[in-house]
Amino acid sequence: MKKRVLLVNKFYYRRGGDCVYTLALERLLRSHGHDVAVWSMRHPCNGPSQYEGIFAPEVRFDGSLSSRFKAAARTLGYAGVRRAFAAMLDVFRPDVVHLNNIHSYISPTVALMAHRRGIKVVWTLHDYKLLCPSYLCLYRGEVCEGCFSDKTAVMRRRCMKNSAAAGALAWAEAVRWNRRRLTESVDTFICPSRFMRDKMLQGGYPADKLTVMANFVSAETCETLSSCPPDEHGDYYCYVGRLSPEKGVDRLLEVAAGLPYKLQVIGDGPSGDALRQRYGSCANIKFTGNCDTPEVMSRLSRARFSIIPSVCYENCPLGVIESLCAGTPVAGALIGGIPELIDDGDGLCFTAADAVDMSRAVHEAFSRRWDYEGIRSRAGERFSAEKYYGSLTDIYAL
């Protein structure tokens, strides 16, 4: 039976992995005949939507005091979000509300509202916000699980922007949308990795509401990624992603600067300027900045291998999945859900934040003879959109 599915995400454009997933899921469900709508926050970069007039009003965490006050109120479920979401539910009348990245700019109040109307609520978890108020499970660059059992840690340690006020707001948000309220309102939490499921169990969430489903790659992306012949991989390796401390790019560049191999760094972020200033003169390191999707896919498809040097609890990084679907092996840090994605023959792993072991992995990845076509074939089957759709519709039907 076809469902009326309302997808909810805080942005409706390609801003991050959660947005890429939401947009791909919208296309996938529509291709199978479901009536699908997306509800989001108003934003100038959003794609066109017939429902944009009843999107949540835009809020910003910068600007005037009034602007920041509205944004703070939004995290607690105010500032117009409930009125707008009620209007969306009245107009679209969904069978399923499928939540994605909703904290801060939308808020989990939408889960409670849908549940009270008897609508099935499914939530794909893209980060650790339900366990860690600051998302990253990091404290001063080290893995931290202090908030799993005591949410006041986010205030005491100033984990949010090193600010007592931001920490207090994150604590208040975590208390308001606590485990009990969310468990009562959500029918199924989709965990894109076993690691995420284990952490949710550790945080007290019930096993019968947690389902593991690795993210998928759309048919369109797979077609683009497969355009490079398997024998045309070049003489470089690449990093694709955000340039920020939790991604471990600083340690990667420290290692890369001392190796004889060419590295392409594709993407940008808050650490971009500092990293370019420090390593921009290295002959074997090339910063491409942000590239459009076809260019990213082309560079990824032609790399000898890609590298994921994260120092945080990654969930199910799209960078690993897209690399494998391109037939490009992955050298990934042994942290979070990364190792689950790298089977024998598809890449190798190294100790997170360990420069010596990372250097060893880079040398080994360059010296191996990879079965690029085999990697591509296995990944295409494993991360198939159709396979994902079959599992998702089972969840919708429960």
Side-chain angles (χ1 to χ4, degrees):
M1 178 181 176
K2 302 304 181 184
K3 301 285 188 179
R4 293 177 64 80
V5 183
L6 178 59
L7 304 177
V8 182
N9 196 59
K10 59 189 180 183
F11 300 110
Y12 189 41
Y13 67 98
R14 290 179 65 93
R15 181 182 173 111
D18 58 297
C19 303
V20 172
Y21 169 90
T22 302
L23 293 168
L25 184 57
E26 177 189 14
R27 293 192 300 270
L28 177 62
L29 291 170
R30 282 190 175 149
S31 73
H32 284 274
H34 296 275
D35 195 354
V36 184
V38 177
W39 189 78
S40 184
M41 182 187 75
R42 294 174 198 163
H43 192 277
C45 294
N46 281 346
S49 169
Q50 70 183 95
Y51 302 107
E52 59 188 344
I54 50 174
F55 278 9
E58 184 179 8
V59 294
R60 298 173 60 91
F61 285 86
D62 54 10
S64 67
L65 181 61
S66 173
S67 172
R68 284 178 284 163
F69 179 80
K70 288 180 181 178
R74 174 62 57 80
T75 67
L76 303 179
Y78 302 111
V81 68
R82 288 188 290 186
R83 184 183 304 110
F85 191 62
M88 187 67 191
L89 294 179
D90 290 340
V91 170
F92 188 67
R93 302 181 68 83
D95 302 307
V96 178
V97 167
H98 189 149
L99 308 176
N100 289 282
N101 193 348
I102 61 171
H103 273 87
S104 301
Y105 293 94
I106 289 179
S107 101
T109 193
V110 297
L112 280 66
M113 292 174 66
H115 173 72
R116 286 168 182 162
R117 294 197 185 200
I119 301 168
K120 180 180 288 294
V121 179
V122 176
W123 192 342
T124 296
L125 302 174
H126 296 279
D127 55 43
Y128 298 89
K129 178 67 171 178
L130 300 189
L131 302 171
C132 171
S134 66
Y135 297 92
L136 293 175
C137 300
L138 287 176
Y139 175 60
R140 295 183 177 177
E142 301 291 333
V143 168
C144 171
E145 298 181 355
C147 284
F148 284 25
S149 57
D150 178 11
K151 296 296 188 286
T152 64
V154 72
M155 290 192 293
R156 291 184 282 102
R157 296 177 175 180
R158 299 192 176 194
C159 297
M160 293 291 288
K161 304 177 183 179
N162 197 32
S163 162
L169 180 60
W171 170 81
E173 184 181 19
V175 170
R176 182 166 177 80
W177 312 120
N178 56 62
R179 182 181 65 236
R180 179 188 58 79
R181 297 186 80 185
L182 296 182
T183 299
E184 290 174 352
S185 302
V186 177
D187 295 279
T188 301
F189 294 98
I190 296 177
C191 303
S193 64
R194 294 189 301 275
F195 184 88
M196 166 69 84
R197 181 180 184 273
D198 290 345
K199 291 304 172 186
M200 289 290 284
L201 288 172
Q202 183 181 330
Y205 284 82
D208 62 349
K209 291 205 171 187
L210 303 173
T211 296
V212 178
M213 288 172 55
N215 291 333
F216 68 96
V217 171
S218 69
E220 298 87 348
T221 300
C222 275
E223 184 176 349
T224 302
L225 289 170
S226 64
S227 62
C228 176
D231 58 348
E232 289 190 7
H233 287 261
D235 63 346
Y236 65 91
Y237 64 121
C238 68
Y239 167 81
V240 181
R242 180 174 168 83
L243 305 188
S244 54
E246 74 275 7
K247 298 300 183 181
V249 190
D250 52 345
R251 182 56 53 89
L252 168 62
L253 295 178
E254 175 188 322
V255 169
L259 296 176
Y261 311 111
K262 297 177 183 177
L263 170 67
Q264 291 193 11
V265 180
I266 305 166
D268 210 337
S271 301
D273 289 343
L275 293 174
R276 282 186 289 270
Q277 183 175 6
R278 185 172 182 180
Y279 295 102
S281 61
C282 292
N284 62 330
I285 298 175
K286 178 179 181 179
F287 292 90
T288 71
N290 285 325
C291 301
D292 61 24
T293 300
E295 179 68 13
V296 172
M297 299 306 177
S298 175
R299 291 179 182 276
L300 180 61
S301 296
R302 287 168 169 77
R304 185 75 64 89
F305 64 94
S306 68
I307 187 163
I308 308 291
S310 297
V311 296
C312 66
Y313 281 165
E314 292 281 7
N315 184 5
C316 183
L318 193 59
V320 176
I321 295 175
E322 288 184 341
S323 183
L324 297 176
C325 287
T328 302
V330 179
L334 282 164
I335 196 166
I338 294 174
E340 297 174 34
L341 300 173
I342 305 174
D343 291 339
D344 187 40
D346 295 337
L348 46 83
C349 293
F350 55 88
T351 305
D354 187 319
V356 173
D357 203 34
M358 187 188 301
S359 179
R360 184 271 312 164
V362 172
H363 281 298
E364 184 175 343
F366 265 103
S367 65
R368 278 198 192 182
R369 294 180 61 86
W370 297 102
D371 177 11
Y372 294 111
E373 188 55 39
I375 293 171
R376 176 187 297 173
S377 177
R378 289 189 294 273
E381 180 178 350
R382 181 181 179 188
F383 304 112
S384 158
E386 293 306 309
K387 180 179 177 181
Y388 191 90
Y389 172 76
S391 299
L392 187 61
T393 50
D394 287 344
I395 291 173
Y396 285 174
L398 291 175

